[in-house]
Amino acid sequence: MKIALVFLGLIGMVILGLPFSISADSSLSDAVQSFMSYGLNATGVLLGILTVFLSRSVADELVQQQIFLVMTKPVARWQYILGKWLGITTLNFAFLACSGLTIYGMVHYIRATHRPETGDRWEMERRMEEEQLAGEVLVARHAIKTNLPDFLKPAQYEYERNREDGRYDDALDFDEAGEIARLSLQHEMRWRVVGPQELRVFEFENVLCDRSPDRRIQVRYKTNISRGAPPDEVYRCIWRVGDASKGTPVYQVNGRHVIGRHHTVTIPADAVAADHTLTVYFRNENPFPDEPQFQNIIEFRKSDEVAVLFVVGTFEWNLVRLSILMMCKLMFLGAVGILMVTVFSFPVACLASFTVYTLAGTRRFIVEALDFSSDDYATMFTSLKEFFLQLLMHLYNVLHWIIPDFGRFNAIDEFVGGYNVSLTWVLNGLLWLVIVKTVFVLGLAILLFHRREVAEVSF
Amino acid sequence: MAERTMPVVETAGLCKTFRDFWRRPRVEAVKDLSLDIRPGEVFGLLGPNGSGKTTTIKMLLGLLYPTRGRISVFGKPPTDVSVKARIGFLPEESYLYRFLVAHETLDYYGRLFQLPHRARRDRAERLLDMVGLRHEAKRRVGEYSKGMARRIGLAQALINDPEFLILDEPTSGLDPIGARQIKDVIRDLGRKGKTILLSSHILADVEDVCDRVTILYGGQQRAAGDIHDLLRRTDATQIMAPTLSEETIAQVSDLIQRLEKKELLGVSNPRIKLEDFFLQIVEEAHAANIQTSGARVGGDVPEFLQKSTETTAQRVVESLVSAASRRTEVPAGSPPQAAARSDEPARGVIDDLMTHGPVDDEETSSPSPTTTASVVSSGKARDADSKVIDELLGRSGADTPQERENDA
């Protein structure tokens, strides 16, 4: 129990101490976002470690033999295991609820006390920061990425033309598909860069937002200057949002933006057409047409696709959904902890649980690092090395099935970015982490505990 | 009475081998043990340290699984949850939660039997009275001395009003008064028809309370049977009389020589048991303390005894048994037929209580420790014991003479 209090103290220190260590010159949104990010991540990690330690109570009862008395009362083994798991889960729930509420409270504390040091422009700056915080951080927004045009068709067309021109005639081992892919990529690259005074159109579908004019939608993007950056590192552009042919108003926003950062353009929601499509025009306004060294070419990278955002829920419910996802992980970890202590003594069980925790957290990287291409049984018996390699691979495949990918259910970044933690995501977490994996692990724990002699004497 | 129902415990060819990490057999703790404990008897499992007593008990409780052989408790495997609802267990060491106070401990174990809140509270109070821990009920069990831990251990074993009580070394770590109280409780429970399995290497305890014993050595059964039959000396007769003169003794010797053609084997003044002597001293100290208030030496003893005099063990046991008649409190988990069967002994006790008042133990469970002749002496010693205990416990005289008669 002491360990639980220690962890509670640690979580408290992190959450309550962080806001005071955030530098005052960061913007309000940045302050709140970095607080939430550190606070939530620290809570997740600390509760994860605590969960592993809490399963110690079963190990302690086995070592200190209190289990002798419990097991001689009318308590079935499965009830014992389930009871311990419920205990751990309840404690986790209480701790998570506490830290969630504290984080919520501290966000409002930061909001009330954060003062940008901007002198006489204080009030205006503050209002802008407030608006930014409310519109971009403390909301649950749904993001729709732009529909990329079809690059394959023009690539095929170009390929056909090239072939007719006889460009590929002397090529040896000619790879048609590879050439089309190369041409397609070329088209995409060309589409992604916007030269001076050039126009680019972004199309969005399924923008299922409330289309009333007093609602707002946002276009979020990040641009890079691939060549000829202006001397003040600020590029000029014009955004036009709306499609007059579909009867929507067209809103124009002139942008002066710092290179290489995310920017958000906010416009009324009636720019969305009745068929829930949205058309966005972007024009590169080169301020220095006569100076070729500043012919800035703007690039929209694939990793930072232009997206349209609209509010679908409140910050509070988003926090609740995030907490449920975090809770799902802790439920699984609790089950793993219980399983391990039914098999091993505490230090070993602790190590094993941490291994699972780490594997689950880093599964994405491990999967990328290992090559699973050779899962062919036929080659398994060709050599000893191959056999062990394959065996290892199959073993890992089993582990791979049991150990979930925590990264898939980590919604902290989305939450902090003001994105909606969707209900589908939460339900997916509940289904995979709790209903499938946790139940499986608990079942295994019950099975093994059933076979175990609690008063076992080993030499 | 024993034959009319099925045995509470039945084992056949029970073996337990402990293995090492590589599954190689290391120790054969129990070898081919066949036990048969009948309802209502106080059964002693005797043996030196490491003879397999505790291993046997752990197998009966499903804490260990037998390597070979068969066990049934109330006709079911020991891991059956419904069986456990009918058992009370006092382990060799008190494996209690150190951070709970006595009250919480009893409440916790009561909850495991799904006893309703009121029943748990009532029983906890009465059991704490019985074991003399009422005034220590707010202390954490981790702070208890070994003897106190044994007492709370016994209390938890009785929280469910068990039909079958398994006591592993119940008197170890207890002072003579505590040991005596626990023996009295065991005897009382035995008289009320509870089946008790008592494991001990303190022979006096077993001799005092058990009906039948099995003696284990090296995991094997060396002797078994009715304690009466096992200990009876058939080659000698003991006569107990008030102190006689040398002359009378010579005449008696002559008479024996003349009638039986046998030599008198020995003449001596009988000794009282150290236990009785000790209790007598404590009683005197207790009395002296009241007269000379403020005496420092022995000040602890009366205080402790005061606690245990709040109610008698007898009263608690009776109320526990009578609570069994209100069997609406049967654990919800146990199947109906198990609950119905569990009523039987208790109902018998209730009937006894209603028709005859205090239970008559004349011919059933009162143990007769030695030969016919020494029954007289032991009877007297026990008479003295009960007197001291009764006075110490502040027991009303109403039932005591009757019990004394019965014992005699």
Side-chain angles (χ1 to χ4, degrees), chain B residues 382-400:
Chain B
R382 271 152 48 80
D383 186 9
D385 287 355
S386 345
K387 200 172 153 196
V388 174
I389 283 288
D390 291 343
E391 281 168 14
L392 285 174
L393 296 177
R395 198 182 270 181
S396 72
D399 59 337
T400 323

Side-chain angles (χ1 to χ4, degrees), chain B residues 112-123:
Chain B
L112 295 186
F113 286 100
Q114 300 183 6
L115 297 176
H117 177 256
R118 242 184 103 158
R120 287 203 306 271
R121 205 187 48 206
D122 291 353
R123 287 181 183 198

Side-chain angles (χ1 to χ4, degrees), chain B residues 150-364:
Chain B
R150 298 301 288 160
R151 287 159 184 266
I152 189 74
L154 181 69
Q156 68 76 27
L158 292 169
I159 192 82
N160 61 322
D161 183 22
E163 288 166 60
F164 178 34
L165 192 59
I166 299 178
L167 306 171
D168 198 356
E169 309 280 2
T171 54
S172 77
L174 286 174
D175 59 23
I177 303 161
R180 184 54 181 267
Q181 274 180 303
I182 288 202
K183 279 193 277 179
D184 282 348
V185 169
I186 296 170
R187 260 199 293 256
D188 281 339
L189 290 167
R191 276 198 287 264
K192 308 277 182 211
K194 306 273 182 196
T195 312
I196 298 169
L197 171 62
L198 176 81
S199 134
S200 185
H201 52 241
I202 303 170
L203 304 179
D205 290 355
V206 178
E207 191 178 339
D208 283 354
V209 298
C210 290
D211 304 331
R212 278 202 310 142
V213 293
T214 278
I215 299 176
L216 298 180
Y217 186 85
Q220 277 177 314
Q221 183 173 305
R222 307 295 300 180
D226 194 303
I227 199 154
H228 218 79
D229 303 335
L230 288 175
L231 300 183
R232 177 184 288 134
R233 272 184 70 177
T234 47
D235 60 342
T237 303
Q238 192 178 336
I239 296 165
M240 187 79 81
T243 310
L244 303 174
S245 66
E246 291 282 332
E247 201 180 308
T248 316
I249 291 169
Q251 280 184 17
V252 169
S253 178
D254 283 349
L255 192 65
I256 290 168
Q257 180 72 45
R258 194 147 38 86
L259 295 177
E260 298 270 334
K261 305 275 184 288
K262 284 173 184 166
E263 287 292 319
L264 188 66
L265 293 175
V267 178
S268 63
N269 289 107
R271 283 165 51 158
I272 60 165
K273 282 161 75 186
L274 180 60
E275 187 183 13
D276 299 330
F277 179 68
F278 177 85
L279 291 171
Q280 195 182 321
I281 297 295
V282 170
E283 188 219 12
E284 281 167 18
H286 176 58
N289 193 39
I290 290 168
Q291 283 158 7
T292 63
S293 61
R296 289 181 62 150
V297 178
D300 283 343
V301 178
E303 197 187 322
F304 162 72
L305 285 170
Q306 216 175 4
K307 276 172 226 150
S308 55
T309 52
E310 296 252 321
T311 57
T312 64
Q314 175 86 32
R315 217 172 74 203
V316 173
V317 168
E318 274 170 16
S319 57
L320 272 178
V321 172
S322 69
S325 66
R326 291 179 269 116
R327 266 296 175 126
T328 43
E329 300 158 6
V330 164
S334 53
Q337 75 268 51
R341 214 183 303 130
S342 74
D343 276 350
E344 282 169 21
R347 212 183 297 129
V349 176
I350 298 297
D351 292 346
D352 278 353
L353 281 171
M354 289 177 58
T355 50
H356 309 297
V359 176
D360 198 328
D361 64 334
E362 194 166 27
E363 51 193 41
T364 55

